[in-house]
Amino acid sequence: MSQEKPWFLRARLKTRQLLLLVAIDEQGNIHRAAESLDVSQPAASKLLKDLEDLMEVPLFERMPRGMRATLYGEVMIRHARIALASLGEAGDEIESLKEGYAGTVRVGAIQGPAVTLIPEAIKRALQERPLLRVSMLVESSDVLMERLAQRKLDILVARLFARHDKSQLHYQALAEEQICAIVSPDHPILALKKPSLADMARYGWIVPPPGSVLRHRFELLFHNTGLALPERLIESTALVFVLNMLRRTDYISVIPTDAAEYYVAHGVIAQVPVELACKMDDFGIITRKDWLLSPAARCMLTALKQAASDVYGLPRLD
């Protein structure tokens, strides 16, 4: 007995129906959705009705001033976006191959591994595929997780928090991130053999904005030692800006030790000789379980795991 065909084959599901679902969700009514797709409103209405009739559920509520997705509609819209994004990526991969490149991979990372792990991983991936195209984004874990959910990134090196939906994610822990204080190479705090947090509190600080994990840990650092927060604060996560400001002022900043060591070695900044009671949670490699990685992305994932073993002194990762 032959297996029953999937519903979308029996329905002869059209790409335009997927586009229409997304357009109605974005535009709020079928008239503007039809215009955005350059089809007539009657044609758009028929496309939607055909799909609703086949699925035997309403996908949108007809409101006095527009349309709103039902629970069934939300499911279809979400999967329509995934399908369309996948088709778009297929086209991009084909164009990349036609231009002579060995595929494209989109990587996101938090600050520390972006300085130490990612360059080594990219170097290894390029040895395997010299014409590989790599897109790299350095951001907070929350921003990176959002981009991964939107299918705008293939692989992350970031943190997972309790608020993140882990049901469709694969996470491989790499390391705990150490934090240190950095200053300009001629900062007066360096004249002290063992500067205390109280000594450092007299200066201005460059810190991440409120809501970030590092900002929370920074504030706890002072709270737990009974000190008031420094009065002079500049808020930024842009490393180039932070380093430039440190060289021009007597401010202090906190960044991952991995990132600091690179710039200390090149004489750009100096690390304050004090151990901060401030550690960040583990970070690791994150991919989606429900998303097939392209050959280019699989090449980068392998390179990341190999590089992580060497950079962080880990056993070989599967």
Side-chain angles (χ1 to χ4, degrees):
M1 181 182 292
S2 61
Q3 281 189 324
E4 187 178 6
K5 292 181 180 178
W7 72 268
F8 51 85
L9 290 181
R10 289 183 280 112
R12 297 182 181 178
L13 184 67
K14 302 176 178 67
T15 305
R16 279 208 163 181
Q17 286 173 311
L18 300 181
L19 291 167
L20 180 62
L21 291 176
V22 174
I24 295 174
D25 185 52
E26 292 177 347
Q27 300 296 333
N29 68 56
I30 199 162
H31 176 71
R32 288 196 298 268
E35 284 185 343
S36 70
L37 297 177
D38 198 25
V39 298
S40 68
Q41 183 171 332
S45 296
K46 185 176 186 309
L47 283 171
L48 178 59
K49 184 178 184 304
D50 289 347
L51 187 55
E52 289 182 319
D53 287 347
L54 174 97
M55 305 197 76
E56 299 180 344
V57 292
L59 299 177
F60 291 91
E61 290 182 59
R62 277 65 173 177
M63 314 290 287
R65 294 189 177 180
M67 302 173 70
R68 183 174 62 194
T70 64
L71 289 176
Y72 306 111
E74 289 177 0
V75 171
M76 280 301 299
I77 290 165
R78 176 163 53 87
H79 286 282
R81 291 185 187 278
I82 293 171
L84 293 170
S86 183
L87 289 172
E89 288 185 7
D92 291 343
E93 283 188 41
I94 294 296
E95 287 302 313
S96 178
L97 292 171
K98 284 164 63 177
E99 292 172 11
Y101 294 95
T104 301
V105 59
R106 303 160 304 173
V107 181
I110 55 176
Q111 199 175 76
V115 175
T116 53
L117 173 63
I118 301 299
E120 177 62 25
I122 291 176
K123 184 189 81 171
R124 295 182 186 218
L126 291 175
Q127 289 171 347
E128 181 72 22
R129 291 180 172 227
L131 295 180
L132 178 68
R133 271 185 173 175
V134 181
S135 172
M136 176 64 194
L137 175 66
V138 182
E139 261 294 357
S140 67
S141 292
D142 282 334
V143 172
L144 295 175
M145 290 296 297
E146 183 179 352
R147 299 291 176 86
L148 184 67
Q150 296 169 343
R151 279 26 183 217
K152 293 180 179 178
L153 292 172
D154 301 306
I155 305 169
L156 306 184
V157 181
R159 294 184 186 86
L160 276 180
F161 299 114
R163 60 183 174 272
H164 295 140
D165 180 6
K166 305 172 184 66
S167 60
Q168 294 300 325
L169 298 177
H170 182 267
Y171 175 77
Q172 197 158 21
L174 294 181
E176 187 180 75
E177 195 167 45
Q178 303 292 325
I179 301 299
C180 69
I182 56 171
V183 293
S184 65
D186 58 354
H187 197 288
I189 197 75
L190 298 175
L192 302 177
K193 287 186 178 180
K194 291 186 177 181
S196 66
L197 192 61
D199 295 324
M200 298 162 68
R202 302 189 185 102
Y203 295 93
W205 287 71
I206 306 176
V207 294
S212 66
V213 179
L214 182 51
R215 176 62 174 268
H216 176 64
R217 301 291 167 86
F218 168 78
E219 292 176 354
L220 280 179
L221 183 65
F222 284 86
H223 176 76
N224 291 340
T225 52
L227 294 171
L229 285 174
E231 294 181 351
R232 294 185 293 149
L233 292 180
I234 296 175
E235 297 172 352
S236 178
T237 57
L239 190 55
V240 173
F241 168 78
V242 171
L243 297 178
N244 204 353
M245 282 300 298
L246 292 181
R247 291 177 66 85
R248 295 167 183 265
T249 67
D250 63 354
Y251 274 61
I252 302 172
S253 188
V254 281
I255 67 170
T257 303
D258 280 354
E261 288 175 346
Y262 174 84
Y263 292 103
V264 168
H266 288 78
V268 178
I269 54 170
Q271 183 174 334
V272 182
V274 60
E275 185 174 338
L276 299 178
C278 179
K279 291 182 180 179
M280 304 292 280
D281 298 328
D282 286 354
F283 61 85
I285 300 172
I286 305 172
T287 54
R288 291 193 64 92
K289 293 179 182 176
D290 59 347
W291 193 250
L292 290 176
L293 291 178
S294 67
R298 290 199 301 272
C299 172
M300 177 57 71
L301 182 60
T302 299
L304 268 173
K305 292 178 178 181
Q306 292 173 349
S309 295
D310 292 340
V311 171
Y312 302 118
L314 302 172
R316 286 293 171 186
L317 302 174
D318 294 332

